[in-house]
Amino acid sequence: MTTLPKLIDPYARAITYLRVSVTDRCDFRCVYCMSENMTFLPKKELLSLEELDRLCSAFISQGVRKLRITGGEPLVRKNIMTFFKSISRHIETGDLDELTLTTNGSQLKRYAADLVACGVKRVNISLDTLDAEKFAKITRWGRLAQVLEGVDAALAAGLKVKINTVALKDDNQDELYKMLSWCADLGLDLTFIEVMPMGDIGNEDRLDQYWSLKDLRTELTTRYTLSDLSETTGGPARYVRLEETGQKVGFITPMSHNFCESCNRVRLTCTGQLFQCLGQEDEVDLRQVLRAHETDTPLVEAIHAAIALKPKGHDFDYSRQKIAGEMTRHMSHTGG
Ligand code: SAM
Ligand code: SF4
C-alpha cells in the first residue's frame, strides 16, 4: 500500500471510525426510518461481502481503528457471518481496536455467540418501547418478544449492550422512566436519539414525531441529579450520570445541538458510496474505483481524496416549525 499520511480531514480531524451499511434491507419498517412500501436497491448494486472486506481493510490500513457494521438490518444480509469472521483478522492483528454493530436485535438469538467468536464485544440494540403494541406500531413488522430474546441472548453471550431509543413525542414520551429502570435492572446503557430528517417516510410527519432531547433532559432533572460526563466517542453523543442510580444516559442531539467539530467518522453505504457527513449530500463512489483496479493503491488514493473533501458539518434544523437540511436518502442506506 502507499505511504500516504493517515486520514486527516481539512479541519484537522483524524478519521479513525468507519460505519458501514452492509445492506439497505430490513425485517422491520420503523415509521421514522422507512415508508411501508420501501423500494430496495437491486441486489447487483450491492457490494459483495468480499468487496466490503476489501474496502474496510483499505480503510483499516489507513488508520481506521473502529468499525461499526450497520444497515438496514446488518444481520439479515445473507452470509453476513462470513464477513464478520473475515474482518475479525484485523482485531487479531491489533490493527483494529473495535468491531461492533448496530442492530434491531431481531436476529441476535441466532448470532450473538458467533459475533462474540468474531471479536465483537459490544452491540447497540435499537429499541424504542417496551410495550408490545406500540412496538408493533412503530416497527410495523417487528415483534417485541423476539427483540427481548435477542437482548437476553446478547447478554448471555457476554456482549455489552447499549440500547438506542429514538425519542418520539407521541409514542415513548410516557415510557421514559420505564425504559430507564428496565435498562438499570439489566445493566444496559441507554442513549436517546433525536429524529433526523432522513429520507421519505410516506405519510408520517417528522415534526409530529420530534421530541427534543433538551425537553427530555429537563424532564429527567425533575427526578434525578444529572452530572455531565466528559467522555465522547468523537460523535454526536454526550453522556450524563444519574447520581441517584449511577446509571449512564446518552443523548444524540444532531438537531438541537451538533458536535461536528470533533467528528472522527465517515460512512460507507452498501453500494460503496462514501459519505463524509451524515447530514450532507456529498458522496464519493468508491465502488467504481474498487471494481476498476485489482490493486488497492488507487482505492487508498481515492479514500484520501474523499477525506480531503469532508465538510465542516451538517445543516439539520427543525427550528421555526419547518425542517431544514433534510436529506433525501434514508438512514438505512447510509447506515445509522
Ligand atoms: N436496523 C438497525 C437498527 O435499527 O439498529 C441498524 C440501522 S438503523 C438505520 C440505525 C439507527 O438509526 C437506529 O437506532 C434507528 O433507530 C436510527 N434511525 C433510523 N432512522 C432515523 C431517523 N430518521 N432519525 C434518527 N434516528 C434514526
Ligand atoms: Fe430497520 Fe433499523 Fe430502519 Fe428500523 S431503524 S426500519 S430496524 S433499519
Side-chain angles (χ1 to χ4, degrees):
M1 294 238 174
T2 66
T3 52
L4 287 166
K6 298 293 180 188
L7 301 171
I8 310 286
D9 83 355
Y11 303 94
R13 297 171 295 195
I15 306 307
T16 55
Y17 182 5
L18 177 67
R19 295 170 83 112
V20 186
S21 173
V22 294
T23 176
D24 62 332
R25 283 153 213 267
C26 188
D27 50 348
F28 293 179
R29 294 287 182 278
C30 301
V31 289
Y32 47 76
C33 180
M34 295 189 181
S35 66
E36 190 151 21
N37 308 308
M38 281 289 285
T39 311
F40 294 107
L41 295 161
K43 288 225 168 99
K44 63 174 180 3
E45 297 264 315
L46 298 195
L47 294 176
S48 68
L49 294 175
E50 293 72 23
E51 287 173 327
L52 277 167
D53 184 309
R54 194 176 148 203
L55 255 176
C56 292
S57 299
F59 274 95
I60 293 166
S61 78
Q62 298 307 301
V64 159
R65 307 284 314 172
K66 177 171 172 179
L67 205 59
R68 176 175 295 280
I69 309 306
T70 177
E73 174 47 41
L75 297 181
V76 302
R77 170 104 195 226
K78 200 169 165 209
N79 295 329
I80 191 63
M81 280 306 138
T82 314
F83 170 79
F84 273 100
K85 266 187 210 120
S86 149
I87 212 75
S88 72
R89 70 188 182 278
H90 297 295
I91 295 270
E92 278 158 29
T93 59
D95 290 333
L96 191 62
D97 293 331
E98 189 171 18
L99 173 62
T100 185
L101 71 154
T102 301
T103 171
N104 65 22
S106 70
Q107 309 301 315
L108 276 175
K109 191 173 169 189
R110 180 172 171 202
Y111 289 130
D114 293 344
L115 289 168
V116 171
C118 295
V120 175
K121 294 200 163 55
R122 304 188 301 146
V123 286
N124 288 359
I125 302 179
S126 305
L127 180 61
D128 303 328
T129 174
L130 292 168
D131 178 290
E133 260 178 49
K134 270 199 238 167
F135 186 87
K137 182 180 153 232
I138 294 170
T139 63
R140 291 197 188 101
W141 293 11
R143 274 196 319 112
L144 178 65
Q146 190 180 347
V147 173
L148 295 181
E149 279 176 13
V151 173
D152 288 345
L155 292 173
L159 288 165
K160 188 153 172 35
V161 173
K162 180 161 77 84
I163 300 294
N164 280 347
T165 300
V166 176
L168 298 165
K169 195 166 51 185
D170 292 332
D171 290 314
N172 59 17
Q173 201 165 4
D174 59 335
E175 280 191 83
L176 175 60
Y177 296 109
K178 186 171 155 193
M179 295 286 297
L180 275 171
S181 69
W182 178 74
C183 287
D185 289 348
L186 290 177
L188 319 177
D189 288 337
L190 174 59
T191 292
F192 292 100
I193 310 177
E194 283 175 346
V195 175
M196 287 176 267
M198 305 284 301
D200 176 22
I201 50 172
N203 296 328
E204 300 282 333
D205 183 343
R206 287 210 172 83
L207 274 174
D208 287 348
Q209 297 172 343
Y210 180 58
W211 176 23
S212 157
L213 294 191
K214 271 189 189 142
D215 296 345
L216 188 155
R217 201 185 153 119
T218 305
E219 170 59 39
L220 278 181
T221 59
T222 64
R223 287 209 200 172
Y224 298 107
T225 313
L226 275 52
S227 302
D228 287 318
L229 299 176
S230 55
E231 68 181 83
T232 81
T233 54
R238 290 297 176 273
Y239 299 93
V240 298
R241 190 168 301 290
L242 308 185
E243 289 303 334
E244 289 76 3
T245 63
Q247 204 172 353
K248 196 170 98 175
V249 178
F251 302 98
I252 300 184
T253 55
M255 304 308 304
S256 57
H257 191 161
N258 77 57
F259 294 98
C260 301
E261 65 278 1
S262 56
C263 183
N264 63 352
R265 62 201 56 194
V266 288
R267 295 160 198 268
L268 189 66
T269 69
C270 50
T271 53
Q273 264 60 47
L274 187 74
F275 283 93
Q276 299 97 323
C277 172
L278 179 65
Q280 298 288 354
E281 300 281 9
D282 313 71
E283 58 176 276
V284 172
D285 182 7
L286 294 180
R287 181 182 62 184
Q288 181 264 328
V289 185
L290 175 100
R291 289 187 175 167
H293 303 276
E294 276 179 17
T295 67
D296 283 343
T297 304
L299 185 59
V300 165
E301 283 168 359
I303 291 171
H304 278 268
I307 299 301
L309 297 173
K310 185 168 161 68
K312 198 169 179 191
H314 65 69
D315 304 314
F316 292 147
D317 184 9
Y318 282 149
S319 59
R320 308 169 82 86
Q321 294 303 299
K322 71 180 181 59
I323 302 175
E326 188 160 22
M327 294 293 104
T328 51
R329 65 182 189 274
H330 290 90
M331 271 300 252
S332 50
H333 181 56
T334 325

